[in-house]
Amino acid sequence: MSQLTTECRDERRAEIAANLERVEARIADACAQAGRDRATVTLIVVTKTYPADDVRLLAELGVRNVAENRDQEAAQKAAECSDLALRWHFVGQLQTNKVRSVADYADVIHSVDRPKLVSALSSAAQRQGRELDCLLQVALDKESGEGGGRGGLTGAEVLELVPQMREAPQLRLAGLMMVAPLTGPYTGDPRAAFDRLMDISQSLRTVEPAANMVSAGMSSDLEYAVAAGATHVRVGSAVLGVRPQLR
Ligand SMILES: *Cc1c(COP(=O)(O)O)cnc(C)c1O
């Protein structure tokens, strides 16, 4: 490695380390406020749009969980970082024609939201001989008839998918995922949205006690998610910097 590259790398490492420290402090404070043990919340760093080199730096700095939202980008990064023993989370909308690729590197799928996707994931996982942890993605705006056709399930639809998940070989129903809604009655009130998510999680756990993972909270609202009871927060820009453009 040239002198210049080494300097750039050291600078980037220091930047990410400082950001990670700030995010860690935010999570610790939120846990303290909520009377929760810090160990009950897992940080997942969302690495989309950032290079594999950053993933490597994150691993050096102790991050074990990373997330991506696009298969093509994720597949390449996961391959470049296959020596790092990271846990890869797929958090983007998932088309069935991408499932075979995603099942190859992802350990956790956060965006399961329809029966067809469950069967496709199960077939792919069986073919690859891997077990996949699956989160059902909740969309609260769908409960009020909004949501503009994007993915996600209402609370009732979550419970309807449980029997199929139970029967699906190589899939484990691990819990729920949500992004705070941008339309509908919960807009601008992340705390209420995350409380509603916890209600849905409670009813899910009544029928499936092991499905206790709750993936909620991002750079802007992780405190609300931790206060409500999230077990996993997905943080991108607060760790790696603001992404060049929305995607
Ligand atoms: C990009 C993304 C995040 C991280 O968002 P930040 O605001 O950068 O923290 C979390 N969850 C999902 C589903 C994402 O696509």
Side-chain angles (χ1 to χ4, degrees), residues 44-48 50 67-69 90-93 110-111 137 177-179 215 217-222 233-243 247:
I44 302 169
V45 177
V46 183
T47 50
K48 64 188 182 200
Y50 287 99
E68 288 284 332
N69 72 336
F90 191 84
V91 300
Q93 265 195 44
H110 289 231
S111 43
Q137 181 171 356
M177 180 274 231
M178 190 181 79
V179 177
S215 164
M218 326 201 303
S219 293
S220 60
D221 57 15
L222 73 85
V233 291
R234 308 175 308 271
V235 181
S237 50
V239 173
L240 293 169
V242 176
R243 291 174 295 274
R247 44 177 292 175

Side-chain angles (χ1 to χ4, degrees), residues 4-242:
L4 184 66
T5 333
T6 309
E7 260 168 43
C8 286
R9 189 175 198 277
D10 288 350
E11 212 169 282
R12 181 62 172 151
R13 191 182 202 275
E15 181 184 7
I16 294 176
N19 289 346
L20 264 180
E21 210 168 294
R22 270 190 290 272
V23 168
E24 177 52 40
R26 286 175 61 189
I27 296 171
D29 284 351
C31 284
Q33 290 272 324
R36 298 182 59 188
D37 185 339
R38 169 65 189 91
T40 60
V41 180
T42 301
L43 169 65
I44 302 169
V45 177
V46 183
T47 50
K48 64 188 182 200
T49 78
Y50 287 99
D53 287 340
D54 280 353
V55 178
R56 203 160 278 283
L57 288 172
L58 286 166
E60 286 177 23
L61 293 164
V63 170
R64 300 264 59 96
N65 290 272
V66 293
E68 288 284 332
N69 72 336
R70 292 187 169 200
D71 171 57
Q72 208 180 348
E73 183 184 342
Q76 190 168 345
K77 253 181 256 183
E80 284 180 55
C81 298
S82 60
D83 57 315
L84 297 176
L86 291 167
R87 197 162 164 78
W88 289 84
H89 298 253
F90 191 84
V91 300
Q93 265 195 44
L94 188 48
Q95 253 92 57
T96 44
N97 64 344
K98 304 285 186 193
V99 157
R100 202 169 167 170
S101 169
V102 170
D104 206 29
Y105 58 84
D107 300 290
V108 190
I109 315 287
H110 289 231
S111 43
V112 178
D113 64 355
R114 55 197 192 278
K116 222 180 122 186
L117 187 53
V118 174
S119 23
L121 279 167
S122 182
S123 309
Q126 286 176 84
R127 204 183 295 120
Q128 264 117 321
R130 300 189 69 222
E131 180 163 285
L132 300 176
D133 278 358
C134 293
L135 303 183
L136 303 182
Q137 181 171 356
V138 171
L140 293 182
D141 38 13
K142 273 187 79 188
E143 296 192 325
S144 57
E146 292 169 89
R150 281 179 295 115
L153 300 160
T154 64
E157 289 167 339
V158 163
L159 296 179
E160 285 164 20
L161 261 192
V162 171
Q164 191 195 355
M165 282 296 312
R166 275 196 194 124
E167 299 295 311
Q170 303 297 110
L171 301 188
R172 192 180 82 84
L173 177 51
L176 300 178
M177 180 274 231
M178 190 181 79
V179 177
L182 296 172
T183 57
Y186 292 96
T187 309
D189 193 350
R191 180 57 209 259
F194 295 135
D195 281 344
R196 169 70 189 133
L197 176 66
M198 293 310 296
D199 287 343
I200 300 171
S201 169
Q202 184 61 56
S203 37
L204 171 61
R205 281 174 287 155
T206 305
V207 294
E208 200 72 11
N212 57 5
M213 191 171 155
V214 180
S215 164
M218 326 201 303
S219 293
S220 60
D221 57 15
L222 73 85
E223 282 84 359
Y224 299 107
V226 171
T231 62
H232 291 68
V233 291
R234 308 175 308 271
V235 181
S237 50
V239 173
L240 293 169
V242 176

